[in-house]
Amino acid sequence: MTNSLRALAWLLALPLHDALAGEVEMLHWWTSPGEQAAFAVVTTQLQGAGVELKNAAILGGGGNSAMEVLQARAIAGNPPALAQLEGQAIASWTLLGFIQPQDEVAGEQEWDRQLLGVAPRVNKIGGHYMGIPGNVHRLNWMWVNRALLARLDMDPPTDWPGFLDAVRALRAKGIKPLALGNDPWQVALLFESLALGMGGKEYYQKAFVELDPVALGSDTSRQILDRFRELSELVLPTLSGQSWDQATADLAEGRAAFQLMGDWVLGDLLARGVAVPEQVQCLPAPGTQGLYVYNMDSFVMFNANLPKDHLTIARALASPDFQLAFNRANGSIPVRRELSLADFNPCAQLSRIDYDRAEAAGNLMPSVADSMALHPLYQKAVESELYRFFNQPDLDREGVIRRLGAVARSASSTSIEARLR
Ligand code: GAL
């Protein structure tokens, strides 16, 4: 059964308004070991504030299935009180009038001044905080199984030609190079690191954040797609449809050498008792040194089921102690600028250092594959083009460029963002 079918089956089995009186239901997709540990922190924090949380977890990394369930429930008039949302989806739900502004607590706690700069950028829509910022994830990480590489006397690659050489060498030795599930979201994340690492920040910004037809139709796009094809031909025979966290288990247990994926991998490695960075090392994705691709999870409240104690909930989720415990489990970094990461894992500490440097240098890049840059509609269209190209060796790169150009044209003619910002 696909994740969407599973999600639909779950939805149909759900009696309307089934949260017990006093319970606050939260919909999210934190289901891997590290994510569950992070969600347990949410539950405990809210319990401490006198709020019982009902867990509405929907399987599926990146949240595609969770978002389908959320839409269906909202249309049926039964949204959860709380949901995990990301970036552009917050803007869409705001436009539809479904979610509750958080300005009161944002004002009290001076979020504009206290939070990292990406927090207002992602959560403030039309001047109002519509989400409670939960974390900042870094996406352009390359996770490396050190023992595997050491056995082959191989240094971790720092650019894409080097990465492809490493992949070839690993394949020749019968070792699976990439811990990757062949699913559209994971493949799109891989492409995102490739596009940024090969094309650089101006190209990435123009082509995939602004969907500029000239950048999309450029020779840089052709070179990137050619590399993507080369990579897919090398790794496809080794891939299955596994989830990102099953892929992380492969990496941790020495069945695969690299994983190109966000720092929720760190949360999972720690939950599995893996020593990081001793066993699995974190390095910037090839060619992306100095750049920081971010996404961020936010907590939003649906006004159709707004809990009476919604201010208590918002205060609890934005508090410093929650931010520390939640992000330590999640592999991400806290959104509050002043918090010390002294007892965080070294990879998270490095993420914070790199964040600050990238912010100062204008090198913070929104993730395209993980909902920070494009409206969900266009994000899905781009993702499905890339996924098809990755899986169908006979698909011509010019066709992909043409179809991405068509997505860009329809994005500029509808421009939902312009109505919101
Ligand atoms: C991202 C989310 C992360 C993590 C990841 C894998 O979209 O921001 O918190 O959950 O998906 O499921």
Side-chain angles (χ1 to χ4, degrees), residues 29-30 35 60-63 84 86 135 137 185 244 261 264 295-297 330 370:
W29 62 93
W30 286 316
E35 292 174 328
Q84 171 193 6
E86 289 178 321
N135 54 21
H137 282 299
W185 172 74
W244 71 266
M261 176 66 52
W264 42 91
N295 92 336
M296 148 173 267
D297 294 301
N330 209 204
D370 226 348

Side-chain angles (χ1 to χ4, degrees), residues 198-418:
M198 279 186 68
K201 83 170 188 188
E202 275 81 21
Y203 165 80
Y204 175 91
Q205 171 72 27
K206 281 255 158 251
F208 292 103
V209 180
E210 294 167 21
L211 291 182
D212 172 63
V214 179
L216 278 172
S218 67
D219 281 345
T220 309
S221 299
R222 293 190 170 77
Q223 285 154 16
I224 291 169
L225 286 170
D226 286 348
R227 279 266 187 248
F228 197 41
R229 162 73 69 236
E230 234 178 288
L231 183 60
S232 81
E233 282 175 353
L234 283 165
V235 300
L236 264 181
T238 67
L239 300 186
S240 67
Q242 64 184 171
S243 63
W244 71 266
D245 53 306
Q246 288 164 338
T248 300
D250 280 355
L251 174 81
E253 287 159 28
R255 290 188 294 275
F258 303 111
Q259 186 170 20
L260 284 142
M261 176 66 52
D263 56 19
W264 42 91
V265 165
L266 174 61
D268 254 46
L269 292 170
L270 298 177
R272 289 172 192 276
V274 178
V276 183
E278 294 78 5
Q279 286 170 264
V280 173
Q281 188 180 8
C282 53
L283 291 166
T288 69
Q289 294 80 356
L291 301 172
Y292 192 107
V293 181
Y294 66 86
N295 92 336
M296 148 173 267
D297 294 301
S298 304
F299 300 93
V300 299
M301 293 182 190
F302 277 76
N303 41 30
N305 270 332
L306 191 68
K308 342 182 253 328
D309 36 10
H310 64 99
L311 292 175
T312 310
I313 295 175
R315 285 187 193 109
L317 295 177
S319 69
D321 56 334
F322 171 75
Q323 275 290 307
L324 286 169
F326 175 70
N327 283 288
R328 234 185 342 249
N330 209 204
S332 41
I333 58 172
V335 289
R336 281 179 172 263
R337 212 177 263 288
E338 87 283 3
L339 292 180
S340 159
L341 272 63
D343 55 356
F344 275 55
N345 180 271
C347 289
Q349 291 170 345
L350 190 59
S351 171
R352 177 59 205 273
I353 294 168
D354 286 351
Y355 175 93
D356 287 341
R357 288 195 184 132
E359 190 176 59
N363 284 345
L364 288 175
M365 316 299 301
S367 166
V368 174
D370 226 348
S371 322
M372 291 294 116
L374 302 180
H375 183 275
L377 217 61
Y378 310 120
Q379 180 205 335
K380 284 282 140 313
V382 171
E383 180 181 284
S384 94
E385 275 308 322
L386 297 171
Y387 184 59
R388 278 203 323 140
F389 182 75
F390 186 79
N391 276 282
Q392 294 180 27
D394 56 321
L395 261 197
D396 168 34
R397 96 183 158 194
E398 296 306 317
V400 175
I401 289 179
R402 253 196 330 275
R403 286 189 294 278
L404 289 177
V407 174
R409 279 192 299 283
S410 77
S412 68
S413 63
T414 38
S415 186
I416 293 170
E417 290 70 26

